[in-house]
Amino acid sequence: DYLGWAQAGLVHVCDGDTIDLAWWHDLLEDDLQHFNVKTVAIDDYNLESTRQWLEEEKCIDVVTVKTNMYTQMNLLTNRFEAMVQEQQIAHNGNEMMDWNIKSMTIRTDANGQIKPDKKSGKIDGCIAMIVSLAAIEYIEQANDFCGVIV
């Protein structure tokens, strides 16, 4: 129910079939003006221009996570999974986030490393939370977290 979620303010919607990066940067710019942002974590998929804009124009540390790689997602997914099991994820009854969490499964490689996978529906909200954990790791490890590319 994307339109309903958009009307409820749970998701932002842009015109067209793909995300307009100028529109996306405007949303980020608004957040940057309201919050003291020092580090941003992003999925590596199609966001190179966003990374450059944040680092070069906004002087913000950017942690880029390769979400398709088990080696980068294993620690973060384990941490997220533990948070879900320990009921540490609070989303105030956000229907979209409920749907994302219910749609997520865990895929394991031959080495026992895990990453999120979708069984049905979308898992973008879960991926966003998992990627945000990379920024926390980056800050907690004094800007030296080997699980991400900086």
Side-chain angles (χ1 to χ4, degrees):
D1 185 17
Y2 288 108
L3 294 178
W5 294 332
Q7 290 172 349
L10 301 176
V11 63
H12 296 284
V13 180
C14 67
D15 293 332
D17 295 332
T18 60
I19 295 175
D20 176 346
L21 287 181
W23 169 85
W24 173 240
H25 289 188
D26 287 344
L27 286 176
L28 290 174
E29 184 71 47
D30 188 52
D31 284 344
L32 296 176
Q33 291 177 12
H34 289 92
F35 303 101
N36 184 20
V37 177
K38 301 287 186 203
T39 303
V40 171
I42 61 172
D43 180 337
D44 74 320
Y45 181 73
N46 206 25
L47 289 175
E48 179 60 20
S49 64
T50 300
R51 184 198 61 76
Q52 291 175 5
W53 173 72
L54 287 167
E55 286 183 342
E56 295 168 11
E57 293 185 34
K58 302 299 175 183
C59 299
I60 293 173
D61 287 343
V62 177
V63 176
T64 305
V65 180
K66 292 189 175 293
T67 57
N68 64 338
M69 294 182 63
Y70 284 97
T71 53
Q72 291 203 359
M73 292 298 287
N74 184 59
L75 173 68
L76 302 171
T77 305
N78 273 304
R79 188 170 180 182
F80 178 74
E81 188 176 34
M83 292 172 75
V84 169
Q85 289 174 353
E86 295 168 11
Q87 299 181 346
Q88 294 178 334
I89 304 291
H91 58 67
N92 298 326
N94 183 310
E95 293 174 32
M96 187 184 71
M97 199 61 218
D98 276 341
W99 177 57
N100 279 198
I101 290 172
K102 290 174 185 170
S103 297
M104 190 177 121
T105 61
I106 300 295
R107 181 182 292 180
T108 306
D109 72 1
N111 298 319
Q113 296 185 87
I114 66 171
K115 71 175 189 168
D117 194 27
K118 57 183 163 186
K119 61 181 174 186
S120 63
K122 300 270 188 185
I123 61 170
D124 299 69
C126 295
I127 297 296
M129 281 194 199
I130 292 168
V131 168
S132 71
L133 293 174
I136 294 168
E137 290 287 332
Y138 174 79
I139 293 165
E140 287 177 352
Q141 301 299 324
N143 305 339
D144 185 26
F145 176 57
C146 63
V148 295
I149 297 172
V150 180

